[in-house]
Amino acid sequence: MKSTEIRRKFLDFFKDKEHHIASSASLVPIDPTMLLTGAGMVQFKPIFLGKTKVDYTRAASCQKCVRTTDIDVIGQTGRHLSFFEMLGNFSFGDYYKREATEWAWRVLTEEFRIEKDRLWVTIFETDDEAGDLWRDKVGVSSDRIVKLGEADNFWSAGPTGPCGPCSEILFDQGEEFSCGKPSCAPGCDCDRYLEIWNLVFMQYNRDSDGELHPLPNKSIDTGMG
Ligand SMILES: [Zn+2]
């Protein structure tokens, strides 16, 4: 499948689910806390924070991104990039975890036809709600749902701003990509279990003192590589 088809299938899927399709925003954001656009959610940040009102509550985009936070590992792994395009769907106080998990699974397994038995799911260690949804509503078997801590499964765009627990979907590239350690499993630092999509359940705003405040509305922010 070509990258053009991947973009098209993704955006068509979410357009069909009544999402506003937004163009990729400038790499230089209108946000004094960021130097470069590093995620699809950046252009929607004022909406998540309740500072800007728009006439839609769902959006999807294919955003050009530049990332520098992990620049020291670029070139050393098969999965870190400085420039890339991020596919994402967003809910601004509209749908939440249930739709986000179900739709992500459908996009991967039905639109992109990725074999289910190569997919794994990670959740934040205390987020039983997400675990239950993956198991009971989406149908992922319990042994494919892995709980990880804050470093892996709590997302924020920077030291301040919207954030929340997240759930990642990983693609098992196969044993030949493994570091070979007996402990190699989802969450390992090697390339075997490749994170292809992160679903962020955005529910807090972190202030400059590091305190978490509930957002006006629980929202969804996703990013797929
Ligand atoms: Zn490994």
Side-chain angles (χ1 to χ4, degrees):
M1 192 178 287
K2 294 190 165 139
S3 50
T4 313
E5 283 173 77
I6 294 174
R7 282 189 208 97
R8 189 77 272 140
K9 278 178 185 286
F10 179 90
L11 294 174
D12 282 352
F13 181 91
F14 285 103
K15 192 175 178 187
D16 196 49
K17 302 278 178 293
E18 295 169 341
H19 285 59
H20 164 75
I21 305 302
S23 302
S24 181
S26 169
L27 284 176
V28 181
I30 317 167
D31 181 339
T33 67
M34 291 175 190
L35 200 56
L36 294 161
T37 296
M41 60 76 72
V42 170
Q43 67 167 312
F44 303 111
K45 213 171 136 182
I47 309 173
F48 283 122
L49 293 172
K51 288 181 180 164
T52 301
K53 293 268 177 281
V54 287
D55 59 2
Y56 50 83
T57 54
R58 305 171 173 195
S61 67
C62 177
Q63 174 67 51
K64 294 175 178 69
C65 298
V66 172
R67 273 207 185 167
T68 55
T69 48
D70 46 15
I71 203 155
D72 52 333
V73 293
I74 289 168
Q76 296 185 24
T77 74
R79 64 192 195 280
H80 290 90
L81 300 164
S82 48
F83 175 82
F84 58 96
E85 288 180 88
M86 184 184 289
L87 293 162
N89 57 294
F90 309 91
S91 157
F92 314 111
D94 186 341
Y95 63 85
Y96 199 46
K97 291 180 186 177
R98 178 169 177 170
E99 290 86 345
T101 49
E102 283 186 8
W103 289 343
W105 194 255
R106 282 186 54 195
V107 167
L108 295 176
T109 60
E110 293 173 21
E111 299 295 325
F112 298 164
R113 299 182 179 277
I114 295 176
E115 296 160 52
K116 290 178 185 170
D117 64 3
R118 300 194 71 169
L119 295 174
W120 289 72
V121 164
T122 69
I123 54 171
F124 186 49
E125 53 199 357
T126 57
D127 193 356
D128 291 330
E129 186 191 8
D132 291 348
L133 286 169
W134 280 120
R135 194 187 60 236
D136 302 335
K137 303 293 176 196
V138 182
V140 177
S141 68
S142 305
D143 57 356
R144 287 294 181 103
I145 303 169
V146 179
K147 291 182 173 182
L148 295 175
E150 195 162 331
D152 290 288
N153 280 106
F154 196 91
W155 190 92
S156 56
T160 61
C163 56
C166 64
S167 181
E168 295 177 345
I169 304 171
L170 313 177
F171 177 76
D172 181 359
Q173 301 209 82
E175 225 173 312
E176 62 271 34
F177 287 85
S178 171
C179 56
K181 292 178 192 149
S183 59
C184 190
C188 183
D189 240 6
C190 75
D191 285 339
R192 176 166 181 180
Y193 298 96
L194 180 70
E195 177 197 341
I196 52 174
W197 202 341
N198 190 8
L199 314 179
V200 182
F201 310 129
M202 219 185 253
Q203 48 179 292
Y204 304 110
N205 182 27
R206 188 183 271 137
D207 68 20
S208 50
D209 296 324
E211 299 240 7
L212 296 176
H213 304 279
L215 284 173
N217 294 300
K218 285 183 179 175
S219 293
I220 290 293
D221 159 29
T222 86
M224 170 156 51

